[in-house]
Amino acid sequence: MAVSASVSSPDSAPTPNTAFSRASDAYLAHLTVERGLSVHTVSAYGRDLQRYIQWCAEHGITSLDALTTADLGDFSAALATGDEDHPALSSASVARHVVTVRGLHRFALAEGLSTTDAAAAWRPPAIPRRLPKSLTYDEIERLLVAVAQPVGSQGLRDVALVEFLYGTGTRIDEAVRLDLDDVDMDERVVKVRGKGDRQRLLPMGGAAMSSLQTYLHDGRPLLTKVATPAMFINLRGRRMSRQSAWTVVAGAARRAGIDRPVSPHTLRHSFATHLVERGADVRVVQELLGHASVTTTQIYTRVTVEALREVYATTHPRALGQSGASAQRKRGASGMIGP
């Protein structure tokens, strides 16, 4: 797969960004072939680099070596403020662009496409840490009831998909890439391929295993139109897309009366949050989620701490800022009978 961030076609006159475009195309090819990043990830990098190349062209920056740290700061500010053609981006989106551009310049220096790396000391803006949104146990149960509609082979597939996502904590890309041979029913484990094509083995709980077995026995044969190794297939008999899986989860959430956005990633957050709430070691959760760093996983410990803090603040008699003794004195004073 070739993803290009060039802003000109091969038949058009050369633009001031030819050097940028060559470096960008080489970098995206490197991410695809050597780093093994997914099509979706590389496409996102390509969009970010296209915006960067366009900005450099508009500001007369014609080579990688001509770029300065001040230019990079101006680009970051332009992303944050937006213009008539581009909306203002959030801190998280600006940070993603910064990381992408830094990767490009680091690659260009290593490959001899530039002699300096002006982006080496460039740091992304601080991102407010948002706690991941998870479903409650009751909402999970309602979701599983709702996802069984419609009945029949499609319903069996959808139940198996949701049970698998919540029961294993896999990313949606990992779930739709799942093949029949990846599941070992006897050992109750599944092999998934994560970011960078890294593989890991995950245990499967009884609910996820049972729903998969029912789907494979009673649902998938009726959906099969062509030979395919894919575990989850669509109504045309081909591998289910991530968009179709997203639609299944979002539609079930609406039918379940859950009044906030629910995506496959919400199920991943719920999987991790519920494990930590019930005492799972954070490093075990890290392995299950496939996080490269435990720091990423520790956000879920913060979720449970926030939940505990809320319960404490609303139930403990001395948590409201006024000491119990003071409150009792006031109650006693109000009940006193004057001389």
Side-chain angles (χ1 to χ4, degrees), residues 140-165:
I140 290 290
E141 293 297 330
R142 285 158 48 197
L143 184 71
L144 290 168
V145 170
V147 79
Q149 308 161 10
V151 296
S153 56
Q154 183 180 346
L156 293 177
R157 180 205 64 191
D158 294 350
V159 170
L161 175 65
V162 171
E163 285 279 17
F164 181 80
L165 289 169

Side-chain angles (χ1 to χ4, degrees), residues 156-165 168 175 178-180 182-185 188-190 204-221 231-232:
L156 293 177
R157 180 205 64 191
D158 294 350
V159 170
L161 175 65
V162 171
E163 285 279 17
F164 181 80
L165 289 169
T168 61
L178 196 69
D179 288 337
L180 295 170
D182 291 331
V183 177
D184 188 329
M185 294 292 187
R188 299 169 70 93
V189 296
V190 57
M204 291 187 62
M209 181 66 71
S210 176
S211 64
L212 265 186
Q213 289 174 325
T214 302
Y215 160 65
L216 291 173
H217 186 269
D218 300 326
R220 190 178 184 279
M231 173 65 74
F232 296 109

Side-chain angles (χ1 to χ4, degrees), residues 1-334:
M1 182 210 70
V3 180
S4 175
S6 302
V7 294
S8 61
S9 67
D11 298 329
S12 64
T15 71
N17 296 79
T18 302
F20 280 90
S21 297
R22 282 200 302 265
S24 175
D25 291 344
Y27 179 52
L28 294 174
H30 163 76
L31 295 177
T32 302
V33 178
E34 298 185 36
R35 294 276 301 279
L37 299 188
S38 72
V39 173
H40 304 290
T41 300
V42 176
S43 295
Y45 274 63
R47 289 190 296 271
D48 292 349
L49 291 177
Q50 185 175 9
R51 176 83 179 271
Y52 176 58
I53 291 170
Q54 180 183 355
W55 185 88
C56 288
E58 292 171 352
H59 290 77
I61 301 170
T62 59
S63 73
L64 295 165
D65 289 332
L67 201 79
T68 67
T69 54
D71 293 327
L72 293 170
D74 290 342
F75 174 63
S76 181
L79 293 174
T81 57
D83 54 39
E84 59 183 15
D85 296 320
H86 304 95
L89 299 183
S90 67
S91 296
S93 295
V94 173
R96 190 194 68 227
H97 279 74
V98 170
V99 170
T100 303
V101 171
R102 284 179 60 192
L104 169 67
H105 282 275
R106 184 168 55 248
F107 171 82
L109 180 63
E111 295 295 314
L113 301 175
S114 67
T115 60
T116 60
D117 181 1
W122 191 27
R123 294 292 178 264
I127 305 173
R129 286 194 86 183
R130 292 180 297 175
L131 299 181
K133 302 295 184 182
S134 65
L135 299 177
T136 64
Y137 302 114
D138 175 67
E139 287 171 332
I140 290 290
E141 293 297 330
R142 285 158 48 197
L143 184 71
L144 290 168
V145 170
V147 79
Q149 308 161 10
V151 296
S153 56
Q154 183 180 346
L156 293 177
R157 180 205 64 191
D158 294 350
V159 170
L161 175 65
V162 171
E163 285 279 17
F164 181 80
L165 289 169
Y166 174 63
T168 61
T170 47
R171 303 175 179 92
I172 187 58
D173 284 346
E174 296 169 343
V176 297
R177 291 175 64 189
L178 196 69
D179 288 337
L180 295 170
D181 292 342
D182 291 331
V183 177
D184 188 329
M185 294 292 187
D186 295 329
E187 296 295 329
R188 299 169 70 93
V189 296
V190 57
K191 178 178 66 179
V192 298
R193 293 176 293 280
K195 291 184 177 180
D197 215 31
R198 292 189 296 269
Q199 296 184 1
R200 66 188 190 278
L201 282 177
L202 300 176
M204 291 187 62
M209 181 66 71
S210 176
S211 64
L212 265 186
Q213 289 174 325
T214 302
Y215 160 65
L216 291 173
H217 186 269
D218 300 326
R220 190 178 184 279
L222 299 178
L223 295 174
T224 302
K225 305 292 191 301
V226 295
T228 175
M231 173 65 74
F232 296 109
I233 56 179
N234 58 29
L235 299 183
R236 297 186 301 278
R238 301 188 181 278
R239 186 181 297 275
M240 201 174 190
S241 68
R242 65 197 304 272
Q243 290 81 8
S244 296
W246 191 96
T247 300
V248 167
V249 175
R254 286 193 298 271
R255 294 194 299 274
I258 301 173
D259 58 354
R260 62 183 186 279
V262 176
S263 69
H265 215 67
T266 309
L267 297 177
R268 179 170 161 87
H269 287 320
S270 302
F271 165 84
T273 301
H274 295 168
L275 281 176
V276 173
E277 283 179 348
R278 293 182 173 228
D281 184 270
V282 68
R283 291 198 177 273
V284 173
V285 179
Q286 174 196 357
E287 292 294 327
L288 292 172
L289 293 176
H291 286 161
S293 169
V294 72
T295 303
T296 309
T297 317
Q298 284 173 336
I299 185 68
Y300 296 104
T301 64
R302 190 173 169 212
V303 172
T304 57
V305 169
E306 290 294 330
L308 291 173
R309 183 179 290 118
E310 182 178 350
V311 171
Y312 172 80
T314 56
T315 58
H316 195 279
R318 297 179 67 86
L320 302 179
Q322 177 176 286
S323 72
S326 174
Q328 188 168 353
R329 282 197 300 271
K330 288 186 177 181
R331 285 195 299 271
S334 63

